[in-house]
């Protein structure tokens, strides 16, 4: 394959897949996202061309992938999490397909479950939640907050760290209880990981000093974390 769209995982460089790491180690061109761990960027061959994606608009990234792919170079497009989960991997795959450039999809460990799990929050839990709704919250005013407030189970909000206060306000306005457990997880799975839990109505104040980007989890599953921590302490 001339182009591989590779998921780098949620942050910890050890969470990339075996296939993803193999493609990275044999590439000629690496186009990588800002949130990809430096350790993974360093896994590309020394002679590989490294291109930071943040310097380009999405349409220009598509053109880069097509150009280098057409030249027969082994290209890796390295994305945080999974390419098809808020990663625009679908857009890049379509651009490559339309240009007739061969490509491979290498799934990655998505933050949707891995980041909550890293701090002891299961996004599903028997008797508590059997459904998960994931959404991007960066454009918080455009969200269908009424629908989200009614949906059962767990809410997982990507790109929500900077807007968690407004997100909470909108959900509460549409009927979600202010006492619903919530968590904000910054730099999940990495050494810089920080987590704050609080009722939804108080989560903005509790998490005000956490750096972004951050993932927000809302639902009764958040309370499982405290139970796990208590059991671990008692067993120690």
């Amino acid at each position: 394959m001339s182009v591989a769209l590779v998921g780098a995982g949620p942050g910890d460089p050890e969470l990339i897949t075996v296939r993803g790491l193999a493609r990275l180690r044999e590439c000629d061109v690496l186009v990588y996202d800002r949130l990809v761990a430096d350790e993974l960027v360093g896994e590309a061959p020394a002679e590989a061309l490294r291109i930071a994606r943040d310097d380009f608009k999405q349409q220009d990234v598509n053109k880069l992938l097509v150009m280098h792919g057409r030249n027969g170079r082994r290209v890796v497009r390295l994305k945080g999490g999974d390419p098809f989960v808020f990663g625009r991997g679908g857009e890049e795959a379509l651009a490559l397909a339309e240009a007739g450039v061969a490509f491979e999809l290498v799934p990655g460990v998505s933050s949707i479950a891995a980041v909550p799990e890293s701090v002891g929050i299961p996004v599903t839990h028997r008797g508590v939640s059997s459904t998960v709704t994931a959404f991007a919250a960066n454009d918080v005013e455009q969200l269908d907050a009424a629908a989200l407030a009614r949906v059962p189970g767990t809410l997982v909000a990507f790109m929500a760290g900077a807007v968690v206060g407004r997100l909470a306000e909108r959900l509460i306005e549409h009927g979600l209880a202010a006492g619903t457990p919530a968590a904000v997880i910054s730099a999940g799975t990495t050494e810089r990981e920080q987590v704050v839990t609080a009722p939804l109505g108080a989560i903005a104040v509790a998490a005000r000093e956490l750096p972004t980007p951050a993932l927000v989890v809302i639902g009764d599953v958040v309370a499982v974390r405290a139970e796990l921590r208590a059991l671990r302490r008692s067993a120690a």
Side-chain angles (χ1 to χ4, degrees):
M1 296 294 178
S2 61
V3 179
L5 305 180
V6 179
D12 182 343
E14 292 186 347
L15 292 178
I16 192 172
T17 65
V18 172
R19 181 184 296 180
L21 186 59
R23 297 296 181 271
L24 178 56
R25 287 174 170 171
E26 64 188 16
C27 73
D28 300 312
V29 179
L30 172 62
V31 183
Y32 62 96
D33 285 348
R34 174 176 56 88
L35 296 179
V36 169
D38 291 340
E39 294 92 331
L40 289 180
V41 176
E43 289 288 346
E47 65 276 12
L49 175 63
R50 291 167 168 79
I51 303 172
R53 177 261 181 271
D54 281 1
D55 294 335
F56 299 91
K57 295 180 179 179
Q58 184 60 51
Q59 61 185 13
D60 295 324
V61 173
N62 296 348
K63 291 177 182 178
L64 274 173
L65 299 179
V66 169
M67 179 186 69
H68 288 295
R70 279 179 170 165
N71 289 337
R73 308 184 80 181
R74 292 170 296 188
V75 183
V76 164
R77 173 69 176 98
L78 191 60
K79 297 172 168 290
D82 179 89
F84 276 20
V85 181
F86 301 115
R88 297 190 172 182
E91 297 175 37
E92 293 170 1
L94 285 170
L96 291 164
E98 289 171 359
V101 176
F103 66 92
E104 176 185 12
L105 300 173
V106 182
V109 177
S110 174
S111 298
I112 187 173
V115 166
E117 182 177 344
S118 72
V119 297
I121 299 172
V123 292
T124 64
H125 192 69
R126 188 158 60 105
V128 178
S129 173
S130 60
T131 61
V132 183
T133 301
F135 59 97
N138 53 313
D139 194 352
V140 68
E141 300 300 337
Q142 296 303 312
L143 290 174
D144 189 345
L148 290 170
R150 292 193 303 268
V151 74
T154 308
L155 299 178
V156 178
F158 286 69
M159 296 169 279
V163 297
V164 63
R166 182 58 181 148
L167 174 62
E169 287 177 357
R170 295 205 66 212
L171 292 173
I172 292 168
E173 286 170 0
H174 288 281
L176 191 59
T180 304
V184 179
I185 309 160
S186 171
T189 77
T190 74
E191 294 179 352
R192 306 182 312 282
E193 180 179 87
Q194 297 181 63
V195 58
V196 167
T197 61
L200 184 61
I203 192 64
V205 173
R208 64 184 179 277
E209 295 184 2
L210 288 191
T212 59
L215 194 79
V216 176
V217 184
I218 301 168
D220 290 337
V221 291
V222 174
V224 176
R225 179 175 188 266
E227 183 179 354
L228 278 174
R229 287 163 63 87
L231 288 171
R232 283 179 167 177
R233 285 194 296 267
S234 65

